[in-house]
Amino acid sequence: MKRKIDLFEYAGHIMKSLSQGILITTKVDEKVNTMTIAWGMLGIEWNKPIFNTFVRERRFTKSMLDENPEFTINVPIGDFDKKIIGFCGTKSGRDVDKIKHLGLTLEEPEIISVPGIKQLPLTLECRVIYKQEQDKNVIQPKDIINYYPQYVDDVKSGNNKDFHTSYFGEIVSAYIIE
């Protein structure tokens, strides 16, 4: 069962949770993947509620978003297994079925094709209405050094020298899975 919510009554909770890690979930055909994110924004654009997220160029999630421009944002409420955030932030969906490995329960969506995750019940269903690649020429040099170090071996996970694409998702439904 889903309980509809007023998105902006939960804005503070969503943003506080984001700073500690939440999930973005994607789906292509029957393959569902989820990934931890800690960068994002909640707001209004073109008179629509928006969740804006940033996904690195080489992430499996990016390839899925480019194929199916819909996603859910999955936010914990109360106690939850924090290992979910850690695992989904360090393993690639190319290599492991994170949903199956963690025993996550998928919840049928209301409007889009991507499910929610019962263990992180506050769910935003989003449809991409705009995306843009970062322009490395306008990023501050100190941020390039801190967030896009070019001197590291990019074969190892977490060495993140690739840039992001920003996805602006119109929030078409917001609810808590009960």
Side-chain angles (χ1 to χ4, degrees):
M1 188 165 106
K2 300 176 185 84
R3 178 171 47 92
K4 298 291 273 182
I5 60 170
D6 178 330
L7 169 67
F8 293 105
E9 286 182 15
Y10 286 85
H13 176 77
I14 293 167
M15 296 310 293
K16 183 176 182 181
S17 297
L18 177 65
S19 71
Q20 299 168 14
I22 61 176
L23 299 180
I24 180 173
T25 302
T26 55
K27 180 180 180 185
V28 172
D29 299 323
E30 296 307 308
K31 172 79 172 166
V32 176
N33 183 57
T34 193
M35 178 182 86
T36 301
I37 60 172
W39 289 10
M41 293 182 275
L42 187 62
I44 305 283
E45 185 160 1
W46 303 314
N47 293 320
K48 300 172 186 179
I50 300 289
F51 189 89
N52 178 215
T53 188
F54 306 87
V55 181
R56 287 191 187 272
E57 296 298 321
R58 286 185 266 171
R59 295 287 189 253
F60 183 60
T61 297
K62 182 185 184 313
S63 66
M64 293 187 77
L65 274 170
D66 289 343
E67 191 167 338
N68 176 14
E70 298 178 335
F71 60 91
T72 56
I73 295 299
N74 318 109
V75 181
I77 293 182
D79 291 332
F80 75 105
D81 186 352
K82 292 174 178 52
K83 289 185 278 186
I84 294 169
I85 299 299
F87 188 84
C88 293
T90 58
K91 304 297 180 191
S92 173
R94 283 187 186 96
D95 305 323
V96 63
D97 182 337
K98 294 182 246 183
I99 304 299
K100 184 177 178 181
H101 180 85
L102 292 167
L104 299 177
T105 306
L106 299 179
E107 178 76 19
E108 284 296 313
E110 289 190 326
I111 297 173
I112 64 171
S113 63
V114 182
I117 296 176
K118 188 172 186 177
Q119 287 81 357
L120 285 84
L122 196 162
T123 304
L124 308 178
E125 292 187 15
C126 302
R127 189 173 286 130
V128 175
I129 58 172
Y130 180 73
K131 69 179 184 177
Q132 182 172 353
E133 293 178 11
Q134 288 180 315
D135 180 350
K136 67 181 180 181
N137 298 311
V138 296
I139 299 173
Q140 296 295 312
K142 67 179 176 152
D143 290 329
I144 296 279
I145 291 167
N146 289 331
Y147 300 106
Y148 308 98
Q150 300 301 299
Y151 54 86
V152 296
D153 177 4
D154 66 350
V155 175
K156 296 177 186 168
S157 175
N159 285 340
N160 302 327
K161 62 191 212 178
D162 57 329
F163 291 88
H164 291 84
T165 296
S166 178
Y167 291 89
F168 294 73
E170 176 184 3
I171 301 166
V172 296
S173 186
Y175 50 85
I176 295 173
I177 301 167
E178 298 183 319

